Structure formats: structure tokens, C-alpha cells
Amino acid sequence: MKKRKFGLALSFVLAAGTLLGACGTSEDKEGASSGEGKKEDQFTVAMVTDVGGVDDKSFNQSAWEGLKAFGKENDLEKGKDGFDYLQSQSDADYATNLNKLARQDFDLVYGIGFLMEGAITEIAQQQKDSHFAIVDAVVDQPNVASIMFKEQEASFLAGVTAGLATKTNKIGFIGGMEIPVIERFHSGFIAGVKAVNPDAEIVADYAGAFDKAELGQTIASKMYTQDVDVIFHAAGGTGNGLFKEARDLKEKDPSRELWAIGVDSDQSAEGKVGDHNIILTSALKRVDNAVVDLSTKAKEGNFPGGEQILYGLKEDGVGLAELNAELSNKDEVMKKVDEWKEKITSGEVTVPETIKDAEAFSAN
């Protein structure tokens, strides 16, 4: 009899515990919906940077600016319940970071840069219920949207500017790695220079990396020594070395006319030297606009999984930053830039995507 009473008492204790547990779960759910966790109807988005980092003053930073703008438009806060990012220290971090964000239930996860193509492919296959987007690569998976740009159109306008700004008729190009996206930058730049100054010589060199500012400075130093007076870079953080070299030379001789052209975002802040600025302009790759656009589509239930979205001048996906006010023929250059922009957006001119086609390009 005593054993039976003990059994009944134990049953009552377990039942009470179950009820209390259920109450606790209910309160937790209410807390989540009131801001302690992700609201069920609240869209969340995050990104993984490549090795350049979120403050690279270029590609990754532009993407992060886009996420912040989207967050502001939709009253989201930074964090796992709104918008966020994870920074990659090496390529070994890509898959881990993408997987971590997917497991945190972000509605959309961006992989910034072609270097993440393999990691996005791998994690998208594992996390089939998650939505991903990759910039500068195409991943053929139903839960991945691929964002691509017509970089050659922006760099063409940068080439027009360089071709009309040079006094020595020697112009430089510094690339990060020899990959398709950088070839598009290089090709458009060559064509743009040729369109307005076919006699100009273009010197090119590739650093083999996007995060080696010291190497960028070495290459820039060599070019400036060879009488190059305008250098355009498409090299991510490596391009910061170009800016340093140009600033140093301008500081030593303020009367010397030399220019650097930025990439991805307006990099004019990197060119200040006393009362001067050595940044002529920047070839804009509006990753920020693309991120806002795609995030909005996904939020509205129109995520373009399995599709490739292409952004060019016409879509405000690329462009040219404001020209430096110190440029002596600024008005003339701006007029030409506008003329060529109109020709490109109207379809009258197709900008080459390869070096081979760029070398054969003719403005006539």
C-alpha cells in the first residue's frame, strides 16, 4: 500500500512539472514575439564578408552599407533579430560562417565575393530551407540567387576620365587577381581610354591578392616612376597601397599632377593630402543598391532562387563617382562621360568584357 501511495505522489509531481514546463514555454514564446527573439513575421538578413573585411572601404563595405540601408528602411536593428554580418579572416571561415547564419534562421544570407562560390554551393545543399545570395559568382542551386554586375560599364567611364585627364599619356591599371570579374574591370577601362585617347599607353599589373596593401603600393610606385600619371585599381584592399603611394608622392611634391581612381565605392576620402585630393574619381559598383533591391524582393516573397540578376548602368548597379574639382578640364571630361553613359544605356555601345575584345574595340 505504501508503495502505491508513493507511486501516485510521484505521478502528481511529474504532472505538475509538465504543466509548469508548458507554462514556461508559453512565456518564452511570448518573449520572442515581443522583441526578446525573432518575431515570426519579421524578415532578417545577414552577410558573410570575404577576407577583405567589412571595413575594406570597397566591395564588402558597400554590401554592408546596403544591409544597413535596408535595415533602416524596415525598422530593423543590428543583430540576429534584424540584420548582421560575420567577418571572415580566411577562406576557411566561409562555409562555417554561412552555416552559422543559416542555423540562426536568417531569412536571407549573402556571401560577398566570388571566393565564396564553393562554400555557398556546399552550404546551400545542406541547408535547403534557407535562402542564400552570392555576389560576383553564379551558383546553380534553387535556394541561391546570383548577383552579377556589368563592371565593364563603370570602368569604361573611368577609362574615359583617365584618357582625358592624363598629361603624360601613360595610364596604369592594378588588378587584384586574374579572374573574370577583374578582367571585366580591366577590359572596360582599356576600351574607355581608347574611346577618347587612342594614343595613350596602358600599363597593367596584377597583385594576385585583394588584401595586400603593401604590394599595391609597390606596384603603384613602379608605375608612377615610369611616368604614369593616372592609375585605376580593381584590387580591393590591395588598392589602399595605391592611395598611400599617391598621397606620399603628392605630399613630397604638391605641384606634381598624379591621380588614382578608386573602385566599388566612392573612395575620395582616401585621397586627402593637405588641401589636395589625389582621387580623380571612382568606378562605382553599387553592391549596396543590389543588396537593398534583392533583400526587398525576398522580404516581399519574391526571392529569385536559382536565377541570375544582372546590374549595369541602366539598373543603377554601376556608375562613376563625382569628378575631382581639382581636375583642370573637369567640365569637358564630365560632358564626355555623360555622352558615353547615354550611348551605353541606350544600347548604342556594348562595352567589351574581355581583354581580347577590349584591344579590338573601336569607338568609330
Side-chain angles (χ1 to χ4, degrees), residues 11 47 51 53 64 73 80 176 217 226 251 259 268 270 276 284 298 304 326 335-336 364:
S11 297
M47 62 174 259
V51 293
W64 178 234
E73 287 180 10
K80 65 180 181 180
Q217 184 170 3
Q226 295 172 341
E251 189 171 21
W259 300 106
S268 57
E270 303 307 304
H276 299 285
L284 302 178
E326 294 180 59
K335 183 179 178 181
K336 282 293 183 182
N364 299 323

Side-chain angles (χ1 to χ4, degrees), residues 46-356:
M47 62 174 259
V48 175
T49 76
D50 68 11
V51 293
V54 77
D55 56 354
D56 64 352
K57 302 179 180 67
S58 188
F59 192 72
N60 290 280
Q61 187 167 331
S62 180
W64 178 234
E65 293 296 333
L67 272 196
K68 289 192 291 185
F70 175 79
K72 185 176 182 180
E73 287 180 10
N74 292 278
D75 296 322
L76 301 177
E77 294 184 359
K78 183 180 180 300
K80 65 180 181 180
D81 303 320
F83 63 96
D84 210 347
Y85 75 90
L86 288 177
Q87 188 152 312
S88 303
Q89 303 303 320
S90 72
D91 54 6
D93 296 332
Y94 296 158
T96 300
N97 286 341
L98 289 165
N99 193 44
K100 182 176 181 180
L101 293 176
R103 292 174 70 86
Q104 287 179 350
D105 290 330
F106 279 96
D107 293 300
L108 177 59
V109 177
Y110 287 90
I112 308 302
F114 81 99
L115 293 171
M116 259 177 268
E117 181 178 353
I120 285 273
T121 301
E122 174 189 347
I123 302 304
Q125 290 174 337
Q126 295 175 8
Q127 303 284 357
K128 295 184 182 296
D129 293 331
S130 296
H131 286 168
F132 298 91
I134 186 165
V135 178
D136 274 355
V138 176
V139 172
D140 187 17
Q141 295 292 329
N143 57 336
V144 179
S146 301
I147 297 173
M148 298 291 286
F149 294 87
K150 295 180 180 179
E151 295 89 356
Q152 68 274 16
E153 294 184 348
S155 62
F156 183 97
L157 300 182
V160 168
T161 304
L164 295 173
T166 182
K167 298 291 181 64
T168 65
N169 255 14
K170 293 190 72 174
I171 296 168
F173 173 82
I174 300 176
M177 298 175 71
E178 295 187 59
I179 54 174
V181 58
I182 304 303
E183 183 178 16
R184 290 195 293 273
F185 271 120
H186 191 175
S187 302
F189 187 63
I190 291 172
V193 172
K194 290 183 66 175
V196 296
N197 188 353
D199 295 327
E201 178 187 353
I202 302 173
V203 180
D205 200 352
Y206 281 75
F210 292 102
D211 58 350
K212 303 294 182 185
E214 67 281 2
L215 189 51
Q217 184 170 3
T218 298
I219 295 172
S221 176
K222 181 179 178 182
M223 289 184 177
Y224 284 130
T225 300
Q226 295 172 341
D227 213 22
V228 168
D229 62 351
V230 184
I231 302 176
F232 170 47
H233 90 90
T238 298
N240 292 330
L242 160 64
F243 302 149
K244 185 178 187 309
E245 182 63 18
R247 289 196 306 266
D248 289 349
L249 292 173
K250 190 71 173 179
E251 189 171 21
K252 289 177 182 176
D253 182 3
S255 66
R256 182 175 178 181
E257 290 192 39
L258 56 82
W259 300 106
I261 298 177
V263 74
D264 293 335
S265 58
D266 184 349
Q267 297 190 302
S268 57
E270 303 307 304
K272 295 178 181 178
V273 185
D275 295 330
H276 299 285
N277 194 309
I278 51 81
I279 302 295
L280 178 58
T281 185
S282 298
L284 302 178
K285 184 169 177 177
R286 300 304 302 270
V287 182
D288 55 343
N289 286 353
V291 165
V292 171
D293 181 57
L294 183 59
S295 298
T296 300
K297 285 183 171 69
K299 181 178 181 291
E300 294 173 348
N302 299 314
F303 176 70
E307 297 180 22
Q308 177 181 330
I309 308 97
L310 188 61
Y311 296 91
L313 277 174
K314 194 172 184 179
E315 297 79 20
D316 198 25
V318 300
L320 192 72
E322 185 176 349
L323 301 186
N324 192 315
E326 294 180 59
L327 181 63
S328 58
N329 58 341
K330 178 183 176 183
D331 291 341
E332 173 198 345
V333 175
M334 198 64 244
K335 183 179 178 181
K336 282 293 183 182
V337 166
D338 288 340
E339 287 177 6
W340 282 101
K341 183 177 180 180
E342 174 59 30
K343 290 179 181 180
I344 294 169
T345 54
S346 68
E348 180 182 342
V349 170
T350 300
V351 182
E353 300 181 39
T354 67
I355 302 297
K356 181 180 178 180

